[in-house]
Amino acid sequence: MKLYNLYTYAFLKTPTESLKLPVGIANPLLLITAGDLSALVEPEVCLDTLQNDDECLIQAVLCHDRVICELFQQTTILPLRFGTSFLEAENLLTHLLFNAQEYQEKIEELEGKGEYLLKCIPRKLEEPVLCSESRGRQYFLAKKQHYEAQQDFYILQGSEWQNFVHVVTQNYPSTIIVPSPGAESRIYLLVNFQEEPLLIEQVLHWQKACPRWELQLGQVSPPYHFT
């Protein structure tokens, strides 16, 4: 027996003006309202079917993200994780009413803000080009010098990272940092839309201060990491 749910994309303040609701995974979307809070839902979504078909699952994940992004362009939302659902409307309404104050406060915190991903990619010290005629002691001396230079490079790279993290968290206290030693680290920033030009300038300044790192700033997205 297939079990159908109210697949839920996001929570938001009950809109005072009509929103343009996107198409969901398989059905039109609708708002279920409990006072000042509403939930964007898609009825009759069978999660079991999605989980048993890899292709359908991938398409559903992409659709989930698209719906949230389209709604985010229109209003402030609390985006929900893929797979969030309620068995029936009564369960959803009870959840909204029970958590009303927490969700309303969170939505107010996110008002006029978006999430920006800053990728931090560690650069590598280029290997020296050794002459094909290098042999014996000369060859091993060159390798030793490169090893020492590499160790110094990594020490300075680590120092740059520590200073960088300190500066970023000073400027953006709500920052979420996901370090990955030796690989790409990620920093999630919650920034006012109007401050995006300033953020871009700051990233350029940070890049100059961290020459041993490559910084890549992404486009604004819904505040997935701040809900």
Short mmCIF file of all heavy atoms in Angstrom, two decimals, residues 92-136:
data_model
loop_
_atom_site.label_atom_id
_atom_site.label_comp_id
_atom_site.label_asym_id
_atom_site.label_seq_id
_atom_site.Cartn_x
_atom_site.Cartn_y
_atom_site.Cartn_z
N LEU A 92 0.16 18.88 10.48
CA LEU A 92 0.94 20.06 10.08
C LEU A 92 0.47 21.30 10.83
O LEU A 92 1.29 22.09 11.32
CB LEU A 92 0.82 20.27 8.57
CG LEU A 92 1.46 21.53 7.99
CD1 LEU A 92 2.93 21.64 8.38
CD2 LEU A 92 1.31 21.55 6.47
N LEU A 93 -0.84 21.49 10.92
CA LEU A 93 -1.38 22.65 11.64
C LEU A 93 -0.97 22.63 13.11
O LEU A 93 -0.60 23.67 13.68
CB LEU A 93 -2.91 22.67 11.52
CG LEU A 93 -3.47 23.00 10.13
CD1 LEU A 93 -4.97 22.75 10.08
CD2 LEU A 93 -3.14 24.44 9.74
N THR A 94 -1.01 21.46 13.72
CA THR A 94 -0.60 21.34 15.12
C THR A 94 0.88 21.71 15.28
O THR A 94 1.26 22.41 16.22
CB THR A 94 -0.82 19.90 15.62
OG1 THR A 94 -2.21 19.58 15.53
CG2 THR A 94 -0.36 19.74 17.06
N HIS A 95 1.70 21.26 14.33
CA HIS A 95 3.13 21.57 14.37
C HIS A 95 3.37 23.08 14.24
O HIS A 95 4.18 23.65 14.98
CB HIS A 95 3.85 20.84 13.23
CG HIS A 95 5.31 21.11 13.17
ND1 HIS A 95 6.25 20.45 13.95
CD2 HIS A 95 6.03 22.01 12.43
CE1 HIS A 95 7.46 20.92 13.68
NE2 HIS A 95 7.36 21.85 12.77
N LEU A 96 2.66 23.72 13.34
CA LEU A 96 2.83 25.17 13.14
C LEU A 96 2.40 25.95 14.39
O LEU A 96 3.09 26.88 14.81
CB LEU A 96 2.03 25.63 11.93
CG LEU A 96 2.56 25.23 10.56
CD1 LEU A 96 1.58 25.65 9.46
CD2 LEU A 96 3.92 25.85 10.30
N LEU A 97 1.29 25.57 14.97
CA LEU A 97 0.80 26.27 16.15
C LEU A 97 1.73 26.07 17.35
O LEU A 97 1.99 27.01 18.11
CB LEU A 97 -0.61 25.79 16.49
CG LEU A 97 -1.72 26.20 15.50
CD1 LEU A 97 -3.02 25.48 15.83
CD2 LEU A 97 -1.91 27.71 15.50
N PHE A 98 2.25 24.87 17.51
CA PHE A 98 3.13 24.57 18.64
C PHE A 98 4.45 25.32 18.53
O PHE A 98 5.03 25.74 19.54
CB PHE A 98 3.38 23.06 18.70
CG PHE A 98 4.21 22.64 19.88
CD1 PHE A 98 3.64 22.51 21.14
CD2 PHE A 98 5.57 22.39 19.74
CE1 PHE A 98 4.41 22.12 22.24
CE2 PHE A 98 6.34 22.00 20.83
CZ PHE A 98 5.76 21.87 22.08
N ASN A 99 4.95 25.50 17.30
CA ASN A 99 6.26 26.13 17.10
C ASN A 99 6.15 27.56 16.57
O ASN A 99 7.14 28.11 16.08
CB ASN A 99 7.10 25.30 16.11
CG ASN A 99 7.42 23.93 16.64
OD1 ASN A 99 8.33 23.74 17.43
ND2 ASN A 99 6.66 22.93 16.20
N ALA A 100 4.98 28.15 16.67
CA ALA A 100 4.71 29.45 16.05
C ALA A 100 5.71 30.52 16.47
O ALA A 100 6.29 31.22 15.62
CB ALA A 100 3.29 29.89 16.38
N GLN A 101 5.95 30.68 17.76
CA GLN A 101 6.84 31.76 18.23
C GLN A 101 8.26 31.57 17.72
O GLN A 101 8.89 32.52 17.22
CB GLN A 101 6.84 31.83 19.76
CG GLN A 101 7.69 32.97 20.30
CD GLN A 101 7.60 33.11 21.81
OE1 GLN A 101 6.75 32.49 22.45
NE2 GLN A 101 8.47 33.91 22.39
N GLU A 102 8.77 30.34 17.81
CA GLU A 102 10.13 30.06 17.35
C GLU A 102 10.29 30.35 15.87
O GLU A 102 11.25 30.99 15.44
CB GLU A 102 10.48 28.60 17.63
CG GLU A 102 11.85 28.18 17.11
CD GLU A 102 12.10 26.70 17.22
OE1 GLU A 102 11.30 26.01 17.88
OE2 GLU A 102 13.08 26.22 16.63
N TYR A 103 9.33 29.89 15.07
CA TYR A 103 9.42 30.09 13.62
C TYR A 103 9.27 31.56 13.24
O TYR A 103 9.97 32.06 12.34
CB TYR A 103 8.36 29.25 12.91
CG TYR A 103 8.63 27.76 12.94
CD1 TYR A 103 7.61 26.84 12.70
CD2 TYR A 103 9.90 27.26 13.22
CE1 TYR A 103 7.84 25.47 12.73
CE2 TYR A 103 10.14 25.90 13.26
CZ TYR A 103 9.12 25.01 13.01
OH TYR A 103 9.36 23.65 13.05
N GLN A 104 8.38 32.27 13.90
CA GLN A 104 8.19 33.68 13.59
C GLN A 104 9.45 34.49 13.91
O GLN A 104 9.84 35.37 13.15
CB GLN A 104 6.98 34.23 14.36
CG GLN A 104 5.65 33.75 13.82
CD GLN A 104 4.48 34.17 14.69
OE1 GLN A 104 4.66 34.67 15.79
NE2 GLN A 104 3.27 33.95 14.20
N GLU A 105 10.07 34.19 15.05
CA GLU A 105 11.31 34.89 15.42
C GLU A 105 12.41 34.59 14.41
O GLU A 105 13.19 35.49 14.03
CB GLU A 105 11.74 34.47 16.82
CG GLU A 105 10.84 35.01 17.93
CD GLU A 105 11.23 34.49 19.30
OE1 GLU A 105 12.15 33.64 19.38
OE2 GLU A 105 10.62 34.95 20.30
N LYS A 106 12.48 33.35 13.95
CA LYS A 106 13.51 32.97 12.99
C LYS A 106 13.29 33.68 11.65
O LYS A 106 14.24 34.16 11.02
CB LYS A 106 13.50 31.45 12.78
CG LYS A 106 14.77 30.92 12.16
CD LYS A 106 15.95 31.11 13.08
CE LYS A 106 17.23 30.60 12.48
NZ LYS A 106 18.41 30.84 13.32
N ILE A 107 12.06 33.74 11.23
CA ILE A 107 11.74 34.41 9.97
C ILE A 107 12.12 35.90 10.05
O ILE A 107 12.66 36.46 9.09
CB ILE A 107 10.25 34.23 9.62
CG1 ILE A 107 9.98 32.77 9.25
CG2 ILE A 107 9.84 35.15 8.47
CD1 ILE A 107 8.51 32.44 9.07
N GLU A 108 11.84 36.52 11.18
CA GLU A 108 12.21 37.93 11.35
C GLU A 108 13.73 38.12 11.30
O GLU A 108 14.21 39.11 10.75
CB GLU A 108 11.64 38.44 12.69
CG GLU A 108 10.13 38.60 12.67
CD GLU A 108 9.58 39.01 14.03
OE1 GLU A 108 10.40 39.21 14.96
OE2 GLU A 108 8.34 39.11 14.17
N GLU A 109 14.48 37.17 11.85
CA GLU A 109 15.94 37.24 11.80
C GLU A 109 16.45 37.17 10.36
O GLU A 109 17.47 37.77 10.02
CB GLU A 109 16.56 36.09 12.59
CG GLU A 109 16.41 36.21 14.10
CD GLU A 109 16.99 35.01 14.82
OE1 GLU A 109 17.72 34.22 14.17
OE2 GLU A 109 16.70 34.82 16.01
N LEU A 110 15.74 36.44 9.52
CA LEU A 110 16.17 36.21 8.14
C LEU A 110 15.62 37.25 7.17
O LEU A 110 15.97 37.23 5.99
CB LEU A 110 15.73 34.81 7.69
CG LEU A 110 16.31 33.64 8.47
CD1 LEU A 110 15.69 32.33 8.01
CD2 LEU A 110 17.83 33.58 8.34
N GLU A 111 14.77 38.13 7.65
CA GLU A 111 14.13 39.13 6.78
C GLU A 111 15.17 39.94 6.03
O GLU A 111 16.09 40.52 6.61
CB GLU A 111 13.27 40.07 7.63
CG GLU A 111 12.34 40.95 6.83
CD GLU A 111 11.13 40.20 6.30
OE1 GLU A 111 10.56 39.40 7.04
OE2 GLU A 111 10.79 40.43 5.12
N GLY A 112 15.05 39.97 4.69
CA GLY A 112 15.95 40.78 3.86
C GLY A 112 17.36 40.23 3.74
O GLY A 112 18.27 40.94 3.30
N LYS A 113 17.55 38.95 4.09
CA LYS A 113 18.90 38.37 4.06
C LYS A 113 18.94 37.11 3.19
O LYS A 113 17.92 36.48 2.94
CB LYS A 113 19.36 38.01 5.48
CG LYS A 113 19.45 39.20 6.42
CD LYS A 113 19.80 38.77 7.83
CE LYS A 113 19.83 39.95 8.78
NZ LYS A 113 20.07 39.53 10.18
N GLY A 114 20.13 36.78 2.76
CA GLY A 114 20.33 35.57 1.98
C GLY A 114 21.63 34.89 2.38
O GLY A 114 22.47 35.48 3.08
N GLU A 115 21.77 33.66 1.96
CA GLU A 115 22.97 32.88 2.28
C GLU A 115 23.96 32.93 1.11
O GLU A 115 23.59 32.77 -0.04
CB GLU A 115 22.56 31.43 2.55
CG GLU A 115 23.73 30.49 2.81
CD GLU A 115 23.26 29.07 3.09
OE1 GLU A 115 22.40 28.91 3.98
OE2 GLU A 115 23.73 28.14 2.41
N TYR A 116 25.22 33.17 1.45
CA TYR A 116 26.29 33.20 0.45
C TYR A 116 27.34 32.16 0.81
O TYR A 116 27.79 32.09 1.95
CB TYR A 116 26.94 34.58 0.40
CG TYR A 116 26.03 35.68 -0.11
CD1 TYR A 116 25.10 36.28 0.72
CD2 TYR A 116 26.10 36.10 -1.44
CE1 TYR A 116 24.25 37.28 0.27
CE2 TYR A 116 25.26 37.10 -1.91
CZ TYR A 116 24.34 37.68 -1.05
OH TYR A 116 23.51 38.67 -1.52
N LEU A 117 27.71 31.35 -0.16
CA LEU A 117 28.73 30.34 0.05
C LEU A 117 30.08 30.86 -0.43
O LEU A 117 30.22 31.29 -1.58
CB LEU A 117 28.38 29.06 -0.71
CG LEU A 117 29.50 28.01 -0.82
CD1 LEU A 117 29.96 27.54 0.55
CD2 LEU A 117 29.04 26.83 -1.67
N LEU A 118 31.06 30.83 0.46
CA LEU A 118 32.42 31.22 0.11
C LEU A 118 33.30 29.98 0.16
O LEU A 118 33.53 29.41 1.22
CB LEU A 118 32.95 32.28 1.09
CG LEU A 118 34.36 32.82 0.82
CD1 LEU A 118 34.44 33.49 -0.56
CD2 LEU A 118 34.78 33.79 1.92
N LYS A 119 33.74 29.53 -1.01
CA LYS A 119 34.62 28.37 -1.08
C LYS A 119 36.07 28.82 -0.87
O LYS A 119 36.49 29.82 -1.47
CB LYS A 119 34.49 27.68 -2.43
CG LYS A 119 33.12 27.07 -2.69
CD LYS A 119 33.07 26.40 -4.05
CE LYS A 119 31.71 25.79 -4.32
NZ LYS A 119 31.64 25.13 -5.66
N CYS A 120 36.79 28.09 -0.04
CA CYS A 120 38.17 28.42 0.27
C CYS A 120 39.04 27.24 -0.15
O CYS A 120 39.04 26.19 0.52
CB CYS A 120 38.33 28.71 1.76
SG CYS A 120 37.18 29.97 2.38
N ILE A 121 39.76 27.42 -1.23
CA ILE A 121 40.52 26.31 -1.82
C ILE A 121 42.02 26.54 -1.58
O ILE A 121 42.57 27.56 -2.01
CB ILE A 121 40.25 26.22 -3.33
CG1 ILE A 121 38.73 26.09 -3.57
CG2 ILE A 121 41.00 25.04 -3.95
CD1 ILE A 121 38.32 26.30 -5.01
N PRO A 122 42.68 25.62 -0.88
CA PRO A 122 44.12 25.80 -0.62
C PRO A 122 44.94 25.64 -1.90
O PRO A 122 44.77 24.69 -2.65
CB PRO A 122 44.43 24.69 0.39
CG PRO A 122 43.40 23.63 0.13
CD PRO A 122 42.16 24.37 -0.30
N ARG A 123 45.80 26.61 -2.14
CA ARG A 123 46.70 26.51 -3.30
C ARG A 123 47.85 25.57 -2.95
O ARG A 123 48.14 25.30 -1.78
CB ARG A 123 47.24 27.89 -3.67
CG ARG A 123 46.16 28.90 -4.06
CD ARG A 123 46.82 30.19 -4.54
NE ARG A 123 45.87 31.27 -4.70
CZ ARG A 123 45.14 31.48 -5.80
NH1 ARG A 123 45.23 30.63 -6.81
NH2 ARG A 123 44.30 32.51 -5.87
N LYS A 124 48.53 25.09 -3.98
CA LYS A 124 49.69 24.22 -3.78
C LYS A 124 50.93 24.90 -4.32
O LYS A 124 50.86 25.64 -5.31
CB LYS A 124 49.47 22.87 -4.48
CG LYS A 124 48.34 22.05 -3.88
CD LYS A 124 48.23 20.70 -4.56
CE LYS A 124 47.12 19.87 -3.92
NZ LYS A 124 46.98 18.54 -4.56
N LEU A 125 52.04 24.63 -3.67
CA LEU A 125 53.31 25.18 -4.13
C LEU A 125 53.76 24.39 -5.35
O LEU A 125 53.80 23.16 -5.32
CB LEU A 125 54.36 25.07 -3.01
CG LEU A 125 55.72 25.73 -3.29
CD1 LEU A 125 55.56 27.24 -3.42
CD2 LEU A 125 56.70 25.39 -2.17
N GLU A 126 54.05 25.10 -6.42
CA GLU A 126 54.43 24.43 -7.66
C GLU A 126 55.74 23.68 -7.50
O GLU A 126 56.68 24.15 -6.86
CB GLU A 126 54.53 25.44 -8.81
CG GLU A 126 53.20 26.05 -9.20
CD GLU A 126 53.33 26.95 -10.42
OE1 GLU A 126 54.44 27.00 -11.00
OE2 GLU A 126 52.35 27.60 -10.78
N GLU A 127 55.79 22.50 -8.10
CA GLU A 127 57.01 21.71 -8.10
C GLU A 127 58.06 22.40 -8.97
O GLU A 127 57.73 22.93 -10.04
CB GLU A 127 56.74 20.31 -8.66
CG GLU A 127 55.90 19.42 -7.77
CD GLU A 127 56.76 18.69 -6.75
OE1 GLU A 127 58.00 18.83 -6.80
OE2 GLU A 127 56.17 18.01 -5.89
N PRO A 128 59.31 22.44 -8.52
CA PRO A 128 60.35 23.05 -9.34
C PRO A 128 60.64 22.20 -10.58
O PRO A 128 60.50 20.97 -10.54
CB PRO A 128 61.57 23.08 -8.40
CG PRO A 128 61.33 21.94 -7.47
CD PRO A 128 59.84 21.90 -7.26
N VAL A 129 60.98 22.87 -11.66
CA VAL A 129 61.33 22.16 -12.88
C VAL A 129 62.83 21.84 -12.81
O VAL A 129 63.67 22.73 -12.89
CB VAL A 129 61.03 23.01 -14.13
CG1 VAL A 129 61.43 22.25 -15.39
CG2 VAL A 129 59.54 23.36 -14.16
N LEU A 130 63.13 20.57 -12.65
CA LEU A 130 64.53 20.14 -12.52
C LEU A 130 65.12 19.84 -13.90
O LEU A 130 64.46 19.24 -14.75
CB LEU A 130 64.63 18.90 -11.64
CG LEU A 130 64.14 19.07 -10.19
CD1 LEU A 130 64.25 17.75 -9.44
CD2 LEU A 130 64.95 20.14 -9.48
N CYS A 131 66.31 20.30 -14.09
CA CYS A 131 67.02 20.05 -15.35
C CYS A 131 67.20 18.55 -15.53
O CYS A 131 67.51 17.82 -14.58
CB CYS A 131 68.37 20.76 -15.33
SG CYS A 131 69.36 20.44 -16.81
N SER A 132 66.99 18.10 -16.76
CA SER A 132 67.12 16.67 -17.04
C SER A 132 68.53 16.16 -16.78
O SER A 132 68.74 14.96 -16.63
CB SER A 132 66.73 16.40 -18.50
OG SER A 132 67.57 17.13 -19.38
N GLU A 133 69.50 17.09 -16.71
CA GLU A 133 70.88 16.69 -16.48
C GLU A 133 71.22 16.61 -14.99
O GLU A 133 72.32 16.22 -14.63
CB GLU A 133 71.83 17.66 -17.19
CG GLU A 133 71.66 17.67 -18.71
CD GLU A 133 72.60 18.67 -19.36
OE1 GLU A 133 73.33 19.35 -18.62
OE2 GLU A 133 72.59 18.74 -20.60
N SER A 134 70.24 17.03 -14.14
CA SER A 134 70.51 16.99 -12.70
C SER A 134 70.66 15.55 -12.23
O SER A 134 69.85 14.68 -12.54
CB SER A 134 69.36 17.65 -11.93
OG SER A 134 69.25 19.01 -12.30
N ARG A 135 71.73 15.30 -11.53
CA ARG A 135 72.00 13.96 -11.06
C ARG A 135 72.55 14.01 -9.64
O ARG A 135 73.05 15.03 -9.19
CB ARG A 135 73.05 13.28 -11.97
CG ARG A 135 72.58 12.96 -13.38
CD ARG A 135 71.51 11.84 -13.39
NE ARG A 135 71.15 11.47 -14.75
CZ ARG A 135 70.22 12.06 -15.46
NH1 ARG A 135 69.56 13.11 -14.94
NH2 ARG A 135 69.94 11.65 -16.68
N GLY A 136 72.40 12.89 -8.98
CA GLY A 136 73.03 12.70 -7.70
C GLY A 136 72.77 13.79 -6.69
O GLY A 136 71.63 14.15 -6.40
#
